[in-house]
Amino acid sequence: MGKKFLGIAATLALLTAANSAYAETQTDTLQYKDLRADIKLDVDWNLLDEDKAEAETDFINPNNSNYVAVRLEMWKDDSGVSGSKYDRDKRLAECRYTYAGAEYFKSRHSIDSSDRKKELVVDTFSDD
């Protein structure tokens, strides 16, 4: 019974390790004058399951006037954007994307003007 259990446990451990190829998180801080926001792209690549990406733009010092925004893109191949999600908020903008077989994910983060017509500062991440 003990050897059978160890065999099953070892098999499950190998399957779990093979399922998750790797994960990567990129972070930085956007700044425009006295406005600052933390930005992040977190991607979990999976061989046997769906790839998952999360992008955030999080105001460090919100002023109840300006906005933060994020756009998360999924690319199936190099021919162009295959799908995207967008969010804007006065405190935290966040997007999540799940897709099996993505080639890469890209995110675009910004601090926007109070009238939402202008990006004051922009930064991007790409995880390929």
Side-chain angles (χ1 to χ4, degrees):
M1 176 92 173
K3 287 183 182 179
K4 188 174 185 179
F5 175 75
L6 286 176
I8 292 171
T11 301
L12 288 173
L14 284 173
L15 287 174
T16 301
N19 184 31
S20 182
Y22 70 94
E24 182 178 351
T25 302
Q26 299 175 58
T27 61
D28 204 350
T29 301
L30 279 178
Q31 184 164 352
Y32 177 78
K33 296 185 179 180
D34 63 336
L35 301 173
R36 294 183 307 140
D38 287 330
I39 60 175
K40 175 178 84 168
L41 173 61
D42 185 18
V43 178
D44 184 14
W45 297 103
N46 292 285
L47 294 175
L48 304 175
D49 201 358
E50 295 180 320
D51 303 315
K52 298 174 183 166
E54 178 180 359
E56 293 181 354
T57 307
D58 188 6
F59 246 136
I60 295 171
N61 57 341
N63 62 3
N64 292 325
S65 181
N66 293 84
Y67 290 81
V68 288
V70 64
R71 175 183 165 95
L72 178 59
E73 300 174 349
M74 185 277 298
W75 294 54
K76 293 181 191 175
D77 54 40
D78 288 330
S79 65
V81 177
S82 304
S84 67
K85 296 189 176 185
Y86 178 82
D87 189 30
R88 179 182 349 197
D89 192 77
K90 288 190 174 187
R91 182 172 280 295
L92 172 66
E94 57 187 338
C95 295
R96 290 178 179 76
Y97 213 113
T98 302
Y99 185 83
E103 182 69 24
Y104 48 91
F105 291 96
K106 291 184 176 186
S107 62
R108 178 182 172 90
H109 308 264
S110 64
I111 296 176
D112 296 350
S113 63
S114 58
D115 61 5
R116 300 182 304 188
K117 293 182 179 180
K118 185 172 159 187
E119 295 175 321
L120 302 174
V121 62
V122 175
D123 200 356
T124 61
F125 290 130
S126 180
D127 193 349
D128 50 359

